[in-house]
């Protein structure tokens, strides 16, 4: 039941902040700013040195079932290449697992622990295999190799696929992806680049608010 509830919440929120940084401390600050701006689903990538420290700190502060809005967020892990990394992140508090590619053993492990898993796929064959393994959401990656019409093309033969483009999603095309049928979108460097360049992480909150507003507009909720 928890796995289903988490998957539904991720799809309801609709926007996932994909965070990379130089230190776990920096990524925690990035996450706090994104959450303050309205993006409540945070993906901490394993390319960050000591990434599990960031996951642990965020998981202590935020929870997916919090009654207090200030403590509500869903903390997950990204760039997971193997089941060993997935298990370490889950034990550190990650509530969902995202991979850049389809690793069957990672999907099986996440199913064992009843944690939503989102493998990266590029082809119909990979997407079908991910569904057969029990993936909850399929990350269409790299998203910048496609345009929103890819969603419709996939959903022709696989209408049951929950697709989340990541990479190349921007404020300019987010609405097109959602209207095409994406259940969520992953936002990476466009969310954080300006803030890092200007050494002002508070800019992330403003960018996050803009992304969330665009998402709500696309869904007809604003």
């Amino acid at each position: 039941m928890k796995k289903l509830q988490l998957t539904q919440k991720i799809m309801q929120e609709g926007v996932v902040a994909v965070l990379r940084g130089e230190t776990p401390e920096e990524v925690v600050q990035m996450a706090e700013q994104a959450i303050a701006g309205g993006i409540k689903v945070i993906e901490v990538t394993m390319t960050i040195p000591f990434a599990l420290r960031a996951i642990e700190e965020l998981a202590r502060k935020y929870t997916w079932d919090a009654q207090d809005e200030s403590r509500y967020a869903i903390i997950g892990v990204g760039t997971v290449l193997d089941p060993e990394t997935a298990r370490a992140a889950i034990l550190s508090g990650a509530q969902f697992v995202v991979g850049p590619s389809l690793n069957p053993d990672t999907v099986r492990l996440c199913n064992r622990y009843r944690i939503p898993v989102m493998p990266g796929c590029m082809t119909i064959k990979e997407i079908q295999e991910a569904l057969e393994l029990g993936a909850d959401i399929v990350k269409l990656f790299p998203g910048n190799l496609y345009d929103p019409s890819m969603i419709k093309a996939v959903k022709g033969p696989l209408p049951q696929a929950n697709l989340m483009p990541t990479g190349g999603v921007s404020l300019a095309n987010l609405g097109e992806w959602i209207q095409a049928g994406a259940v969520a979108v992953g936002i990476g460097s466009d969310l954080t680049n300006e803030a890092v360049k200007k050494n002002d992480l508070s800019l992330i909150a403003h960018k996050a608010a803009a992304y969330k507003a665009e998402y709500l507009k696309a869904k007809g909720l604003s």
Side-chain angles (χ1 to χ4, degrees):
M1 193 65 175
K2 173 186 170 184
K3 185 175 189 247
L4 177 61
Q5 289 174 324
L6 273 167
T7 302
Q8 289 175 334
K9 279 184 174 288
I10 291 167
M11 292 193 293
Q12 286 167 6
E13 291 295 333
V15 183
V16 179
V18 182
L19 301 181
R20 303 181 189 278
E22 298 299 321
T23 67
E25 292 78 16
E26 180 184 40
V27 171
V28 167
Q29 292 177 45
M30 287 178 171
E32 290 171 342
Q33 292 296 328
I35 292 166
I39 297 181
K40 303 292 187 176
V41 187
I42 304 297
E43 177 187 327
V44 177
T45 62
M46 287 302 296
T47 52
I48 302 158
F50 307 106
L52 295 181
R53 293 183 187 175
I55 293 171
E56 288 169 3
E57 184 170 344
L58 290 167
R60 280 193 293 266
K61 184 172 182 178
Y62 300 101
T63 178
W64 70 278
D65 57 354
Q67 300 301 313
D68 180 356
E69 180 64 22
S70 68
R71 294 193 64 245
Y72 168 66
I74 305 169
I75 309 301
V77 61
T79 322
V80 173
L81 305 181
D82 48 56
E84 294 83 4
T85 303
R87 185 173 185 273
I90 291 167
L91 294 177
S92 293
Q95 293 293 327
F96 64 91
V97 172
V98 183
S101 62
L102 176 59
N103 181 288
D105 288 338
T106 298
V107 177
R108 293 187 188 100
L109 179 130
C110 291
N111 286 334
R112 183 182 309 140
Y113 284 93
R114 308 307 296 152
I115 292 290
V117 58
M118 309 174 199
C121 296
M122 292 184 69
T123 66
I124 292 287
K125 182 178 186 296
E126 288 179 328
I127 294 169
Q128 179 177 332
E129 185 179 353
L131 295 177
E132 290 169 353
L133 288 165
D136 304 281
I137 296 173
V138 175
K139 181 173 80 166
L140 190 62
F141 181 78
N144 56 355
L145 297 183
Y146 307 99
D147 62 46
S149 65
M150 179 65 173
I151 301 285
K152 184 178 180 180
V154 172
K155 281 186 166 291
L158 298 173
Q160 71 275 28
N162 295 321
L163 301 175
M164 179 181 76
T166 302
V169 179
S170 66
L171 283 170
N173 64 22
L174 183 152
E176 294 178 56
W177 282 109
I178 295 299
Q179 290 164 8
V183 298
V185 295
I187 310 297
S189 58
D190 190 58
L191 181 65
T192 59
N193 273 358
E194 183 184 8
V196 172
K197 191 177 297 181
K198 294 183 177 179
N199 196 30
D200 182 2
L201 295 185
S202 69
L203 295 174
I204 294 173
H206 297 291
K207 200 66 173 284
Y211 269 107
K212 195 58 188 274
E214 194 63 28
Y215 169 77
L216 293 173
K217 178 182 175 183
K219 296 289 287 186
L221 298 173
S222 64

